[in-house]
Amino acid sequence: MSEPTTPTDSELLQRMSAGDEEAFAALYRRRQGGIYRFALQMSGSPAIAEEVTQEVFVTLIRNTRQYDPSRGSVSAYLYGIARNQVLKYSGRNGSSVPLEDGAAAGLASAENPLGAMARQETVEAVRRAVLSLPAAYREVVVLCDLHEVSYAEAAQALGCAVGTVRSRLHRGRALLVEKLARCLV
Amino acid sequence: MTGEEFCAQPGQEDKEAARELAWALGAWKASLEGVEAPAALEIRLRAAFRRRRRKNYLWAGALAASVLLAMAILGVPAPDRGSPAVSSQRPREIVTEFIPMDYLQRLSPIESARLVRVRLPRSALASFGLPLVEDRRAGRIDAEVILGEDGVARAVRFVKIYRFDEERKR
């Protein structure tokens, strides 16, 4: 007896376009965490992250047929929509670094309070450093270093060449090293 | 060798900085493990999905009515479902169902229409969700388009022409 196979994103999308609500829910549950965290890491704001996540999936609901499998994965397609939404919100709200994203506060550990504090400071420092990067460098650092998206998928999501992703990542990392060196002395 | 001497070596400082950056990014990533969109968002999106689906069903119904009306106006016969060829000498045509255009929902209903036969690239089949045999991607295929009174296409169906000779009937 063959084991049931997990449907791919493309299969779920196809079923979604035929009106299958559970297929939509399955795709949403599979991808929402990554999209939400991407938007949170790009904007620093849980409120913006929630708005962006909502817009990504509303766009998917309205334009299911616009996804072209020959151009890349569903995941890269969703990251691309999220990135455009984040840029829209950033343009609206200015480029100030939000105070906190609410997650670093959960790092405190009773077993090693000093270690936890040091880790918390590092997390806060790198969060501020990433959020202060120009958007073009920030998005490749977040996608490739925090979401482990391949260069090819990042290029698809961002609509640029793989070489551009590599060079921006290299420059973004160099900027982060400089910023962190100033913060963590 | 002291730590400072080590870091002063060419390349060592860069490697050390890269390691520290990777560690810091990893720590931030780990701090967000399991962080997800609020549960209420799924409820809102499911509701949005159901609303969209109802809208699509209503438009499909309106489209079906428009297409039937157009067919009645034009006197278009029903699609061939594989009935035997009337004459072995005449070509037989097989047609698909009418496929509505994606933008149909933004158009006004029509009162008159005309059916136009066109030749489209075979690759157009894929654009309408129909299977396309890879080694037959080149070339053209017959299609019939319903054009509204505004000249905008409402729906398309694809036509395949078969030819029979007398020997096949025997």
Side-chain angles (χ1 to χ4, degrees):
Chain A
M1 188 168 69
S2 61
E3 297 210 358
T5 53
T6 307
T8 63
D9 285 352
S10 293
E11 286 165 354
L12 289 174
L13 206 58
Q14 240 176 345
R15 283 164 42 189
M16 227 184 97
S17 65
D20 185 341
E21 183 181 335
E22 292 313 311
F24 166 71
L27 184 59
Y28 171 77
R29 286 174 189 162
R30 185 184 289 176
R31 294 292 167 205
Q32 59 85 13
I35 297 298
Y36 181 81
R37 288 189 292 275
F38 169 79
L40 184 60
Q41 287 152 347
M42 285 292 293
S43 67
S45 161
I48 291 177
E50 183 179 341
E51 293 273 356
V52 167
T53 306
Q54 177 170 285
E55 278 309 306
V56 166
F57 286 95
V58 165
T59 302
L60 191 66
I61 288 169
R62 286 186 185 150
N63 302 304
T64 313
R65 287 193 196 178
Q66 268 191 10
Y67 166 66
D68 180 358
S70 68
R71 293 177 67 181
S73 65
V74 172
S75 168
Y77 177 65
L78 295 177
Y79 275 124
I81 302 173
R83 173 254 193 173
N84 293 336
Q85 289 295 327
V86 169
L87 291 178
K88 211 164 62 169
Y89 276 99
S90 300
R92 238 184 264 168
N93 297 322
S95 56
S96 60
V97 176
L99 287 177
E100 60 179 35
D101 60 16
L107 282 177
S109 161
E111 291 155 9
N112 183 8
L114 287 179
M117 272 177 60
R119 192 177 174 88
Q120 200 165 338
E121 283 175 10
T122 302
V123 166
E124 182 56 23
V126 75
R127 188 186 77 86
R128 288 182 165 272
V130 169
L131 286 171
S132 68
L133 285 176
Y137 301 127
R138 190 181 341 141
E139 57 198 16
V140 290
V141 168
V142 171
L143 278 177
C144 298
D145 284 343
L146 294 172
H147 288 257
E148 293 172 3
V149 169
S150 69
Y151 293 158
E153 282 220 320
Q156 284 157 11
L158 303 177
C160 63
V162 170
T164 305
V165 170
R166 284 177 187 271
S167 63
R168 286 181 185 171
L169 190 57
H170 180 78
R171 181 68 186 136
R173 285 169 176 166
L175 286 172
L176 284 176
V177 164
E178 280 175 36
K179 288 174 187 286
L180 287 175
R182 286 197 294 268
C183 293
L184 293 175
V185 170
Chain B
M1 185 185 294
T2 65
E4 281 180 9
E5 286 166 348
F6 175 76
C7 287
Q9 291 188 49
Q12 292 302 333
E13 202 175 301
D14 289 345
K15 284 181 189 168
E16 186 59 30
R19 265 199 295 274
E20 284 177 6
L21 174 61
W23 183 87
L25 288 170
W28 186 24
K29 181 182 170 182
S31 75
L32 291 175
E33 190 88 27
V35 169
E36 296 187 335
L41 182 53
E42 180 176 340
I43 297 169
R44 292 202 298 272
L45 286 169
R46 276 182 176 254
F49 183 88
R50 287 194 289 271
R51 280 196 299 274
R52 185 73 182 177
R53 187 174 57 190
R54 267 198 300 276
K55 195 175 166 185
N56 287 345
Y57 287 163
L58 286 172
W59 274 106
L63 164 69
S66 295
V67 170
L68 286 172
L69 175 62
M71 289 170 71
I73 290 168
L74 296 166
V76 174
D80 186 347
R81 301 277 184 221
S83 54
V86 173
S87 160
S88 61
Q89 299 287 334
R90 266 182 19 212
R92 180 162 70 101
E93 293 186 349
I94 304 284
V95 294
T96 66
E97 299 288 342
F98 275 104
I99 304 166
M101 299 298 177
D102 274 345
Y103 51 74
L104 190 72
Q105 296 170 10
R106 297 194 289 276
L107 300 176
S108 309
I110 51 174
E111 291 183 2
S112 65
R114 54 196 175 101
L115 190 67
V116 176
R117 171 118 2 156
V118 298
R119 297 268 293 165
L120 297 175
R122 278 196 172 274
S123 55
L125 289 167
S127 304
F128 289 94
L130 294 173
L132 176 65
V133 177
E134 271 306 313
D135 60 358
R136 296 189 64 200
R137 184 175 276 275
R140 303 184 86 76
I141 187 169
D142 289 286
E144 290 179 336
V145 180
I146 293 180
L147 289 181
E149 57 215 351
D150 54 7
V152 179
R154 255 62 178 178
V156 64
R157 68 180 179 187
F158 293 92
V159 183
K160 188 170 178 67
I161 301 173
Y162 288 94
R163 295 186 188 277
F164 287 88
D165 56 28
E166 198 62 43
E167 276 73 28
R168 294 193 73 173
K169 275 195 73 181
R170 287 178 194 158

